[in-house]
Amino acid sequence: MPALVLGPKARVFRGHVWVYASEVIRTEGDPGPGDAVELLDKKGRFAGVALYNPASQLVARRVSRRRVTVDHAFFVERLQQALRVRAGFPDPVYRVAFSEADGLPGAVVDRYGDVVVLQTLTFAMDQRQDLLVDAIQAVLSPRTIVERNDASVRKLEGLALRTGVLRGPEPAPFEVSVHGVRQVVDVLQGQKTGLYLDQLDAYPRVARYAAGKRVLDCFSNQGGFALHAARVGARQVIAVDQSAGAVQSILHNAKLNGVEIEAVEANAFDYLKAEEQARSGFDLVVLDPPSFTRSKKSVQDALRGYKEIHLRAMRLLAPGGVLATFSCSHHVSREAFWQVIADAAVDARRTLRLVESHDQRADHPVVAGLPETEYLKGFTLEVMAD
Ligand code: SAH
């Protein structure tokens, strides 16, 4: 097997699985794009097998500390291991494999009952897509396997964007039920691979504060928080999203569940501002915006955006009101996000106390030593009486 000889500061010697071009001292045996390579230290000691792509700054990702062959059996074993940690999930709707966090760098596999959605995000995984599809078929026996290879990160690996059916019949939009709430999933056209799987467990947890209340769900997408709030008997639920498709889905999902939701197609920043000027009051506000920053460079802008929506949301809440807020920006740490909330509370002249912390769902595991696997954090806070 060809090899990459790495300098002593390489991140793989500190628990990471990524190899940067700058960490490679020497390449032996002329590996081609996508090839498996051995990782060696300067003294020739073996540090694992990785998949190589010289076209990317991130030239290799380790797939194992062992001398493995990345073949059908390898993928089957990885998927079985991934399934073991998800065995306790009550509904068959979850991320089966979360890339590096499941020992499959560059591969994301989502399951919606008997429909499986695959993403191959690196050159090496794309090259092995057929192997992965065979392994998915062997382990999960789905009716249909779809690829959602339209994520722009593929461009960094020199890959084209594609979406389509890989195995089985083409799935029309279908219904799933998670935590007792029904939602329509369109795996070919929906945002992400159909649903925001990482938030599914947060819906019922936030809905605990919704009974009898006036609820505003901002950045609602298909209405996960709004639907659960309505189902537990919120007095009124308003869901805001700027996407017309999302608003249609919210209304459709509301009907499916026999609940009433006012879905508003609007920019949430503008909506919050207008409600603040109208002196509206809400008892529960949910903020679940998209990532405001994809890089370290724009973190300050992202923090300003977070502060603005928090400040406005706090002004809409009376004492006893609840704010459930989330950030999915990897580059905004939990501490930085918490500080934004504290700063917004100062400006809003409110005291908020934490009643619950949130993480990404357990089907998106976080690996110790691999900070990039952690991205979603959230807080449910109560506005205290003065
Ligand atoms: N809460 C959702 C996920 C939200 S993802 C869930 O659990 O499923 C972020 C959503 O914000 C997307 O649906 C996107 O369409 C919407 N969005 C992005 N920018 C927006 C803006 N400025 N105003 C309103 N919605 C926005």
Side-chain angles (χ1 to χ4, degrees):
M1 206 187 275
L4 304 182
V5 180
L6 308 178
K9 292 205 173 122
R11 305 215 302 167
V12 287
F13 300 130
R14 283 170 190 77
H16 214 288
V17 297
W18 290 354
V19 178
Y20 284 96
S22 57
E23 297 170 344
V24 179
I25 299 175
R26 202 167 65 243
T27 304
E28 293 176 350
D30 198 22
D35 284 355
V37 293
E38 287 191 359
L39 302 177
L40 304 173
D41 73 5
K42 270 206 309 205
K43 293 192 173 143
R45 283 178 299 210
F46 176 74
V49 169
L51 300 177
Y52 181 64
N53 181 9
S56 168
Q57 269 306 99
L58 220 161
V59 285
R61 297 170 198 242
R62 184 166 67 190
V63 290
S64 179
R65 294 175 191 272
R66 293 180 293 126
R67 257 176 235 284
V68 293
T69 309
V70 184
D71 55 8
H72 180 73
F74 169 84
F75 284 115
V76 166
E77 196 183 299
R78 282 283 187 263
L79 289 174
Q80 283 169 339
Q81 182 183 24
L83 276 182
R84 278 199 292 278
V85 292
R86 284 124 173 127
F89 278 50
D91 303 297
V93 179
Y94 50 82
R95 179 150 291 182
V96 177
F98 180 39
S99 202
E100 281 84 356
D102 284 289
L104 289 168
V108 174
V109 181
D110 291 343
R111 174 185 207 173
Y112 297 91
D114 57 6
V115 176
V116 164
V117 186
L118 169 66
Q119 299 177 71
T120 49
L121 303 171
T122 60
F123 186 91
M125 270 305 159
D126 195 65
Q127 210 177 40
R128 289 166 179 77
Q129 182 160 299
D130 288 343
L131 273 177
L132 193 49
V133 168
D134 286 342
I136 289 167
Q137 196 69 53
V139 175
L140 297 165
S141 317
R143 189 168 52 89
T144 290
I145 303 175
V146 161
E147 69 172 324
R148 275 303 292 270
N149 277 326
D150 51 348
S152 61
V153 286
R154 276 173 58 97
K155 293 186 200 154
L156 301 175
E157 293 271 326
L159 296 167
L161 307 188
R162 332 178 278 261
T163 294
V165 178
L166 299 173
R167 292 273 167 91
E170 178 164 333
F174 57 94
E175 209 183 287
V176 296
S177 171
V178 183
H179 297 310
V181 166
R182 294 153 75 179
Q183 278 191 271
V184 169
V185 179
D186 184 346
V187 292
L188 289 166
Q189 306 280 337
Q191 290 190 23
K192 303 278 169 179
T193 64
L195 288 181
Y196 283 80
L197 297 171
D198 51 5
Q199 284 288 35
L200 292 177
D201 286 354
Y203 304 151
R205 286 166 64 189
V206 169
R208 285 208 293 257
Y209 304 94
K213 301 294 169 61
R214 186 157 191 259
V215 178
L216 175 62
D217 177 13
C218 290
F219 309 94
S220 182
N221 192 246
Q222 296 164 67
F225 288 104
L227 289 162
H228 280 259
R231 199 179 67 119
V232 301
R235 181 158 51 87
Q236 185 189 11
V237 182
I238 300 176
V240 178
D241 200 286
Q242 71 175 14
S243 145
V247 167
Q248 287 308 313
S249 308
I250 296 167
L251 294 171
H252 186 94
N253 287 330
K255 210 176 270 169
L256 262 185
N257 290 279
V259 295
E260 228 168 87
I261 295 173
E262 285 167 46
V264 182
E265 182 185 333
N267 181 328
F269 284 80
D270 299 339
Y271 187 86
L272 285 165
K273 193 171 172 183
E275 289 301 290
E276 187 192 327
Q277 278 161 359
R279 298 182 179 275
S280 299
F282 287 92
D283 307 301
L284 171 61
V285 176
V286 179
L287 299 175
D288 186 22
S291 176
F292 287 154
T293 167
R294 301 255 169 237
S295 72
K296 267 192 205 146
K297 274 182 268 163
S298 50
V299 166
Q300 286 312 317
D301 291 340
L303 294 178
R304 268 194 292 280
Y306 281 123
K307 182 158 173 206
E308 180 177 336
I309 53 176
H310 284 89
L311 178 58
R312 297 197 190 285
M314 286 174 197
R315 287 181 179 150
L316 292 175
L317 287 163
V322 171
L323 173 64
T325 177
F326 299 86
S327 163
C328 60
S329 304
H330 160 69
H331 295 286
V332 173
S333 67
R334 185 176 285 270
E335 292 70 29
F337 187 49
W338 180 245
Q339 190 57 48
V340 166
I341 294 166
D343 291 346
V346 170
D347 289 7
R349 301 210 189 103
R350 288 281 158 83
T351 306
L352 284 91
R353 59 178 171 182
L354 181 68
V355 289
E356 191 165 352
S357 279
H358 305 277
D359 295 294
Q360 59 212 52
R361 200 185 188 210
D363 55 353
H364 295 62
V366 177
V367 180
L370 239 163
E372 291 81 0
T373 53
E374 182 173 18
Y375 65 99
L376 179 62
K377 52 264 164 199
F379 304 109
T380 297
L381 304 124
E382 191 211 12
V383 180
M384 292 174 73
D386 290 319

